[in-house]
Amino acid sequence: MEKYVYELHMKVRDYECDLQGVVNNANYLHYLEYTRHEFLLAAGISFAELHKRGVDPFVARVNLAFKASLVSGDAFISRLRIRKERLKYIFYQDIYRASDNRLSVRAAVETVCTMGGRLCESEEFDKAFAPYIEKT
């Protein structure tokens, strides 16, 4: 069993579905991003404030595996855990359908920070994420 450090409950909205009646694949990226942003807020980090100071986190790579489709009205739980590898923070994120806890999407999202346009370490992230980062 994965040891998640954060979870967010959401619900699929009609307009997020395609003609086949399932969530369009691109919308899962929105769910994952929203979860990361809410996690940042819970960890005491404001994305907007970071940007004002010239610190910008970016997604460098996303690996998604679609397991089971969500449909309109499905409640789901987006969970994450985090690991640090050198300059990268890797968010391992899973989305589960709430009704049966079935895995819908599994993702690994690699992020990096820049300051003034240059790749950098983020002492602020290191400090804020310390209680949550997986030990390897």
Side-chain angles (χ1 to χ4, degrees):
M1 182 82 181
E2 307 293 347
K3 186 180 177 198
Y4 301 103
V5 297
Y6 185 78
E7 70 178 34
L8 186 64
H9 294 252
M10 292 182 265
K11 187 175 179 180
V12 175
R13 296 162 289 208
D14 293 338
Y15 65 85
E16 296 168 330
C17 298
D18 58 24
L19 289 174
Q20 297 160 324
V22 298
V23 171
N24 179 276
N25 63 77
N27 284 308
Y28 290 100
L29 291 169
H30 294 270
Y31 300 154
L32 297 169
E33 181 174 27
Y34 184 62
T35 302
R36 288 191 310 278
H37 282 236
E38 290 296 305
F39 169 72
L40 287 176
L41 288 172
I45 296 173
S46 165
F47 210 74
E49 286 302 315
L50 283 175
H51 178 71
K52 287 179 186 176
R53 293 195 319 268
V55 178
D56 289 302
F58 286 98
V59 170
R61 177 176 292 144
V62 177
N63 184 347
L64 288 172
F66 297 99
K67 302 294 186 176
S69 296
L70 295 173
V71 299
S72 183
D74 275 347
F76 62 93
I77 306 161
S78 180
R79 297 177 170 127
L80 69 76
R81 56 193 176 87
I82 185 172
R83 207 170 85 211
K84 184 175 183 193
E85 289 182 8
R86 289 185 243 161
L87 295 177
K88 293 186 293 190
Y89 296 94
I90 304 171
F91 292 87
Y92 295 95
Q93 296 183 251
D94 297 326
I95 294 176
Y96 292 88
R97 186 170 46 221
S99 64
D100 59 3
N101 207 37
R102 185 166 180 197
L103 180 64
S104 179
V105 168
R106 175 155 282 162
V109 181
E110 296 181 11
T111 63
V112 294
C113 286
T114 63
M115 182 174 286
R118 292 179 177 234
L119 196 60
C120 68
E121 290 261 5
S122 173
E123 290 181 23
E124 188 168 357
F125 277 6
D126 287 346
K127 183 179 177 183
F129 293 165
Y132 307 106
I133 289 179
E134 283 184 3
K135 307 299 183 231
T136 54

